[in-house]
Amino acid sequence: MDEPAFRRIARFVSPVDRGFAAVVYGGSALFAVLIVGLFIELVLGSWPSLRAFGPSFIWKSAWDPVASKFGALPMIYGTVVTSFIAILLASFVGIMAAVFLADFAPRWIAAPLSFLIELLAAVPSVVYGLWGLFVLAPLVRTTIGPVLQHLLGWTPLFAGPIYGVGLLTAGIILALMIVPTVTAISRDVIAAIPRDLREASMALGSTKWETATRVVLPAARVGIFGACVLGLGRALGETIAVTMVIGNRPEISASLFAPSYTLASVIANEFTEATSAVYISALIELGLILFVVSIVVNAVARLMIWSVRGSRA
Amino acid sequence: MTASATPAIAPPETVLATDDLSAYYGTHQAVGNVSIAFRRQAITALIGPSGCGKTTLLRCLNRIHELAFDACVSGRVLFDNADIYEWGTDPMAIRRRIGMVFQRPNPFPTLSILDNAVAAGGRRLNRRAKLEVAERALRAAALWDEVKDKLSRSPLQLSGGQQQRLCIARAVAAEPDVLLMDEPTASLDPIATAVIEELMASLANQFTLVAVTHNMQQAARVSDVAAFMLADESRTGRLIEVDDTAKLFTKPSDRRTEDYITGRFG
Ligand SMILES: Nc1ncnc2c1ncn2[C@@H]1O[C@H](COP(=O)(O)OP(=O)(O)O)[C@@H](O)[C@H]1O
Ligand SMILES: [Mg+2]
């Protein structure tokens, strides 16, 4: 009568499982500690600069180590503009390629092509940088730049002298570097859209193209957007290839042909020659800004991709 | 209602027919040498155990089968006495005239209920015309009263049965001649199933229906004609028998049909 309705069941957990759990939790904790530790380290390192310049560091545009004047705006501007060019080009090309691979290409083309695209992601960035310096930069100076200027020279974006190295060249290189990421993830996301939906559209008499653009891409949009943001995250932090083709001048100019600087490339370029404590500290603060922005962008991207593709990114 | 004297390829009350139709996935023949005529404004049920090629046969009728990797077809499918597999026939045009409803409700998740209903060519309509087309289709699918106040909502908020009726509305809005249904109630509860079955009966006043089901009670309840399929030793689906539903379920002429409907296998 007064038997309890439920009885607690003692759970037996084997020592091996306990040990395994400890390793797994320990491992995850380690990564969390690493990220937090890095953040603290960066804050400590940039403390002199934080104290000296305060928040105005972010919107001051003078970068003059000799006069000990440091402002991050030109690098923030360079980073944002090159990443934006990159993501604009890469998302267009990458999404088209993903649609082609997932829905149009016959298997004997799609499989090797996917493989090649993923290989492209494995090319070291310094190789992209070399190519950018010796092939793309001259091409921008002699062909791409003049053509763009001829067509769009009336906008400040494409006015002014064309050096070859500069924002546009860096943006194109970055686009090349992130296109594999955008393509591969978008393709996975598109492939995860149920076949039912495609067939529903085809059964209404739509073409494959209509099906891809009106049914499949809208259904996959969150994941594709995530793929693009992930690419953006990579573009923001990319260092060596950009350093080789951006011209390395801490200036803000409207023209995309002008040389510029990014957060990552200024750190790579100037860290070894930074002499004063505040100079080093200012560079570390640039690193701190880049770190925070990259973590946020990547977290957002992963969450968006997971939400559509299931948690295996 | 007997065949007229005109020497047509198929009798006039036949709107759709197959002639020695076989369907393959790569080298696997899933449907073998099926010849069957579907009567105008009647409901033909395709019955048979799972894997006997019912879905494949149905998908050959509107040229959706060929979307599968490695799929191919031999034989003819006559629609208004013309072979839809004739070289040069536009499969898109065929699909607009032979609509399809799938086993699982598959409304377009990113479109509103309204836009789902008019998905077949409704984009170029203005809002008033869209509403008109949608209302007609949704009424035909017995869904209008349930969704008329939430036409701009997502179809994913609807129940499974409502989603399936939305898919029926979507197919009906294209004003096809034939509606193919692949186990349209397989994923629904008994009440939603009853609603759809009733709907099928009313749709048959206007369309020619071909419905796959592996539920024999359903076939007996809703169909006018029933066709029994069975896979042979090489897993190729064969048409065993076609007859008026009442006849097929009471006096089947083939032993295998009798075994199946009396539940001795399948
Ligand atoms: N996409 C496909 N690729 C290869 N084989 C398939 C495919 N779809 C179905 N089949 C095969 O074709 C046969 C008939 O399947 P199907 O038409 O779905 O049967 P039913 O609808 O009667 O259950 C089965 O043997 C099945 O394994
Ligand atoms: Mg089936």
Side-chain angles (χ1 to χ4, degrees):
Chain A
M1 278 288 262
D2 46 15
E3 274 284 292
F6 299 102
R7 201 148 352 115
R8 195 172 270 279
I9 298 170
R11 219 151 38 101
F12 173 75
V13 183
S14 84
V16 177
D17 282 354
R18 268 182 216 282
F20 185 68
V23 170
V24 169
Y25 286 119
S28 331
L30 188 69
F31 287 114
V33 168
L34 261 175
I35 289 185
V36 174
L38 252 171
F39 179 74
I40 293 172
E41 194 64 31
L42 284 169
V43 171
L44 289 179
S46 47
W47 196 248
S49 161
L50 282 167
R51 269 237 317 254
F53 310 113
S56 75
F57 184 76
I58 292 176
W59 61 79
K60 283 274 166 56
S61 61
W63 182 267
D64 187 352
V66 181
S68 242
K69 281 182 18 191
F70 297 100
L73 194 62
M75 293 72 170
I76 294 177
Y77 176 80
T79 304
V80 168
V81 171
T82 51
S83 299
F84 188 72
I85 295 171
I87 204 62
L88 214 63
L89 296 175
S91 56
F92 180 74
V93 175
I95 293 169
M96 288 301 126
V99 169
F100 174 73
L101 287 173
D103 279 358
F104 286 86
R107 282 186 194 189
W108 62 271
I109 296 181
L113 206 58
S114 299
F115 182 71
L116 283 178
I117 286 172
E118 268 155 49
L119 271 192
L120 219 54
V123 174
S125 56
V126 67
V127 176
Y128 280 102
L130 281 175
W131 184 82
L133 197 56
F134 292 117
V135 180
L136 185 63
L139 199 66
V140 167
R141 193 177 60 240
T142 59
T143 315
I144 300 176
V147 167
L148 282 173
Q149 194 153 62
H150 180 75
L151 295 172
L152 300 160
W154 48 273
T155 63
L157 284 180
F158 298 97
I162 303 164
Y163 300 99
V165 294
L167 288 165
L168 181 67
T169 311
I172 296 173
I173 283 287
L174 282 174
L176 276 174
M177 296 178 70
I178 65 178
V179 133
T181 311
V182 175
T183 306
I185 297 179
S186 300
R187 181 207 52 206
D188 289 355
V189 170
I190 290 172
I193 299 299
R195 212 177 49 157
D196 273 26
L197 229 47
R198 295 179 166 83
E199 290 183 343
S201 170
M202 296 298 287
L204 291 174
S206 308
T207 60
K208 278 181 102 171
W209 177 247
E210 288 168 330
T211 300
T213 53
R214 299 208 198 110
V215 176
V216 178
L217 281 180
R221 67 190 167 192
V222 178
I224 291 175
F225 193 65
C228 293
V229 178
L230 199 68
L232 177 67
R234 199 173 158 211
L236 287 172
E238 173 50 41
T239 310
I240 194 68
V242 173
T243 311
M244 291 165 85
V245 297
I246 197 166
N248 299 331
R249 287 237 297 267
E251 289 167 3
I252 298 177
S253 48
S255 171
L256 298 183
F257 298 130
S260 179
Y261 230 162
T262 67
L263 290 165
S265 58
V266 71
I267 297 171
N269 235 11
E270 299 190 3
F271 208 81
T272 47
E273 57 200 47
T275 41
S276 68
V278 74
Y279 190 3
I280 293 179
S281 173
L283 288 172
I284 296 177
E285 190 175 344
L286 293 182
L288 178 65
I289 296 171
L290 188 57
F291 177 82
V292 172
V293 172
S294 300
I295 292 275
V296 170
V297 167
N298 275 285
V300 169
R302 290 290 174 194
L303 289 176
M304 281 191 294
I305 294 167
W306 284 351
S307 74
V308 266
R309 204 178 62 175
S311 49
R312 51 175 191 85
Chain B
M1 290 297 277
T2 49
S4 73
T6 18
I9 301 172
E13 71 267 29
T14 295
V15 63
L16 184 68
T18 72
D19 176 23
D20 201 29
L21 182 76
S22 297
Y24 304 80
Y25 294 102
T27 55
H28 171 55
Q29 183 175 12
V31 172
N33 313 93
V34 170
S35 297
I36 180 173
F38 299 103
R39 226 163 63 200
R40 193 183 292 279
Q41 296 184 4
I43 303 181
T44 303
L46 296 179
I47 61 172
S50 147
C52 71
K54 306 180 293 294
T55 297
T56 306
L57 173 61
L58 197 73
R59 290 162 63 91
C60 289
L61 301 179
N62 67 341
R63 296 195 57 171
I64 284 286
H65 174 63
E66 69 208 49
L67 299 181
F69 172 69
D70 242 13
C72 69
V73 169
S74 74
R76 298 192 301 166
V77 174
L78 300 165
F79 177 52
D80 281 349
N81 291 335
D83 182 9
I84 65 170
Y85 285 96
E86 187 81 55
W87 207 84
T89 304
D90 176 12
M92 262 80 79
I94 295 297
R95 292 175 196 142
R96 279 192 285 271
R97 296 190 56 197
I98 306 180
M100 187 163 221
V101 175
F102 295 79
Q103 189 163 347
R104 281 195 338 188
N106 54 1
F108 299 128
T110 54
L111 299 185
S112 65
I113 293 174
L114 176 71
D115 287 332
N116 261 280
V118 299
R123 273 179 325 112
R124 279 196 296 272
L125 302 173
N126 62 29
R127 181 149 176 100
R128 273 231 353 236
K130 247 191 204 180
L131 270 172
E132 248 165 57
V133 173
E135 178 171 350
R136 208 176 323 128
L138 288 166
R139 280 191 192 282
L143 187 60
W144 174 251
D145 291 327
E146 289 156 67
V147 300
K148 63 171 186 265
D149 300 320
K150 42 183 175 181
L151 289 173
S152 56
R153 299 257 192 91
S154 162
L156 303 182
Q157 298 177 350
L158 301 176
S159 72
Q162 289 173 322
Q163 289 187 17
Q164 191 63 303
R165 278 179 282 147
L166 180 58
C167 293
I168 293 174
R170 182 176 67 184
V172 164
E175 301 186 338
D177 299 314
V178 179
L179 262 185
L180 309 175
M181 299 182 155
D182 188 3
E183 305 198 28
T185 61
S187 63
L188 304 180
D189 63 68
I191 294 173
T193 298
V195 173
I196 300 251
E197 285 180 5
E198 205 175 303
L199 172 59
M200 288 167 72
S202 84
L203 289 172
N205 295 324
Q206 197 183 344
F207 304 102
T208 301
L209 261 65
V210 182
V212 169
T213 174
H214 66 222
N215 174 339
M216 277 175 296
Q217 286 76 32
Q218 181 170 67
R221 274 195 303 269
V222 303
S223 69
D224 305 300
V225 179
F228 174 61
M229 290 179 72
L230 193 60
D232 64 17
E233 329 61 67
S234 57
R235 294 191 301 122
T236 297
R238 305 277 173 190
L239 179 64
I240 304 297
E241 185 173 353
V242 195
D243 217 327
D244 286 345
T245 301
K247 167 95 184 340
L248 190 119
F249 277 95
T250 50
K251 282 208 241 27
S253 50
D254 195 288
R255 256 305 290 281
R256 291 165 293 180
T257 314
E258 189 177 343
D259 287 348
Y260 182 69
I261 60 179
T262 53
R264 244 164 287 177
F265 64 77

